[in-house]
Amino acid sequence: MDAPSIASSRPTVPTGRYAPSPTGRMHLGNLFSALMSWLSVKSRGGRWILRIEDLDPQRSKPEFSRLIEDDLNWLGLDWDEGGMADRGPHGPYSQSLRGEIYAEYLARLDATGYTYPCTCTRADIMATQAPHQSDGRVIYGGRCRPATMPRPASERNNNAGVNTATRYSTRLYVPDEEIEFTDKVYGHRSVNLTRECGDFILRRADGAWAYQLAVVVDDALMGVNEVVRGSDLLLSTAQQMYLYRLLGLPAPDFAHVPLICNSEGRRLSKRDMSLNMSELRKGMSAREIIGTLAHIGGLINEPAPCEARELLGLFDWKKIPSTETICL
């Protein structure tokens, strides 16, 4: 299938998106990113897209997608495009239905000679690489990387050296250079992908598409020019900037917000039942939740109940804390 046109989808108005994974009920940290994204574009007369990032076929469930939409509507965070109804010109808005599009862009990357087949399992990599820093990340050491990069054209189509019966992932070579970008909250960032992550996966051995490729293609095709998400994805931004460059696609602006931690200092997850929407809606009104998030974000001095639209005139990226985490 032919790749959709980029030029026709690039808007001049601020266009943001919220792209949750339907693997569980949203928690307060997810809602914080959603509200900041919604306020940023809506305060400037922009558009907000809801995209369902259901790339993980084992964990993603339609019932969670429905709950995400219900929670956003209950909080007054309306979207202009997307959602399960595929409202808008850039559908489908569920990533599980966009495989043919991703295949087109993977073929473009294959043509650069920077992709290669990788048979390494996570256990293989863990056995040869110590965890990186304190977050458990490991740096891929290039075990399957061809000796010559970019790969010669004769090797690109037949994946020379890999048994056709062997399942393999498709990995992307990264150069030993600094990838630089400016974040609206954390300022100038410089990341060396060779040192921080190594060559990264574009498609898994089981056929599932990797987040890095899917998000770059989707944001470009859907005309997203501002991405708001948690600070844990700052490294991903460098990977994605590299992909935008290789594919010749326009990169959006980025704003990463602090991660929300519970009272014990642990980052919230969907396993934190006490702070997910199922429990929050039992004990708090929508206005109380919005007020709490606005206070966390530095938009109001006290967590007073309010509606999202009442915050439009107060929103300013300079007010958002630039700490890595915020503890409740």
Side-chain angles (χ1 to χ4, degrees):
M1 103 182 247
D2 292 333
S5 167
I6 296 287
S8 63
S9 64
R10 179 57 51 178
T12 56
V13 299
T15 302
R17 50 81 163 168
Y18 182 52
S21 298
T23 56
R25 201 70 184 266
M26 290 191 297
H27 56 64
L28 208 60
N30 302 138
L31 299 175
F32 183 52
S33 295
L35 178 61
M36 296 304 107
S37 175
W38 188 89
L39 288 173
S40 180
V41 295
K42 290 294 184 178
S43 65
R44 293 174 288 146
R47 300 165 55 252
W48 203 55
I49 298 171
L50 176 61
R51 186 173 70 228
I52 305 300
E53 295 199 343
D54 55 348
L55 287 171
D56 188 331
Q58 280 75 45
R59 298 175 62 220
S60 298
K61 300 183 184 303
E63 54 263 38
F64 289 133
S65 297
R66 288 190 286 271
L67 286 169
I68 287 168
E69 293 197 355
D70 183 67
D71 287 337
L72 292 175
N73 277 319
W74 184 72
L75 290 166
L77 302 181
D78 55 317
W79 56 96
D80 303 286
E81 184 180 327
M84 296 182 72
D86 275 341
R87 186 173 72 244
H90 304 118
Y93 292 89
S94 294
Q95 289 186 323
S96 60
L97 303 177
R98 297 176 64 81
E100 290 185 49
I101 298 173
Y102 304 145
E104 169 67 24
Y105 284 89
L106 179 58
R108 295 189 187 189
L109 291 169
D110 287 341
T112 68
Y114 284 138
T115 65
Y116 61 90
C118 177
T119 58
C120 294
T121 64
R122 181 167 179 81
D124 292 332
I125 301 171
M126 290 293 289
T128 59
Q129 184 74 59
H132 182 60
Q133 298 179 351
S134 61
D135 57 8
R137 279 188 291 123
V138 294
I139 304 170
Y140 183 68
R143 180 171 177 261
C144 288
R145 183 195 299 152
T148 302
M149 296 298 292
R151 296 171 72 200
S154 60
E155 296 182 5
R156 297 175 193 171
N157 294 326
N158 59 10
N159 285 328
V162 177
N163 188 315
T164 55
T166 302
R167 295 207 312 176
Y168 59 85
S169 58
T170 299
R171 202 173 281 272
L172 179 68
Y173 163 81
V174 299
D176 185 8
E177 65 179 54
E178 298 295 314
I179 304 293
E180 299 186 2
F181 61 95
T182 300
D183 187 79
K184 289 188 175 183
V185 175
Y186 294 95
H188 179 263
R189 310 289 291 191
S190 182
V191 178
N192 184 295
L193 292 178
T194 297
R195 293 197 297 266
E196 293 295 328
C197 67
D199 302 347
F200 57 89
I201 289 175
L202 299 174
R203 193 174 194 183
R204 295 186 339 204
D206 63 2
W209 295 99
Y211 167 78
Q212 308 297 1
L213 176 62
V215 73
V216 163
V217 171
D218 288 346
D219 284 342
L221 293 179
M222 294 178 184
V224 172
N225 51 33
E226 181 184 80
V227 170
V228 179
R229 56 195 183 187
S231 62
D232 57 326
L233 290 172
L234 276 164
L235 174 60
S236 286
T237 300
Q239 294 170 293
Q240 290 160 26
M241 293 295 287
Y242 177 52
L243 279 170
Y244 281 115
R245 187 176 80 191
L246 286 181
L247 289 169
L249 301 177
D253 295 330
F254 289 93
H256 292 78
V257 296
L259 302 179
I260 307 302
C261 296
N262 62 21
S263 58
E264 298 175 349
R266 291 197 305 267
R267 171 186 162 186
L268 296 185
S269 73
K270 291 176 181 176
R271 293 184 296 273
D272 251 316
M273 300 302 294
S274 63
L275 292 173
N276 75 18
M277 283 298 286
S278 176
E279 294 302 312
L280 289 172
R281 287 180 66 163
K282 293 177 183 178
M284 299 178 71
S285 68
R287 287 172 53 84
E288 287 173 327
I289 293 174
I290 293 294
T292 296
L293 295 171
H295 175 60
I296 289 172
L299 303 183
I300 56 178
N301 294 328
E302 299 292 336
C306 62
E307 294 183 6
R309 292 195 175 276
E310 296 173 358
L311 300 170
L312 291 173
L314 301 176
F315 183 79
D316 188 335
W317 281 116
K318 295 178 181 178
K319 297 178 180 179
I320 310 301
S322 58
T323 55
E324 184 177 340
T325 60
I326 297 175
C327 291
L328 298 176

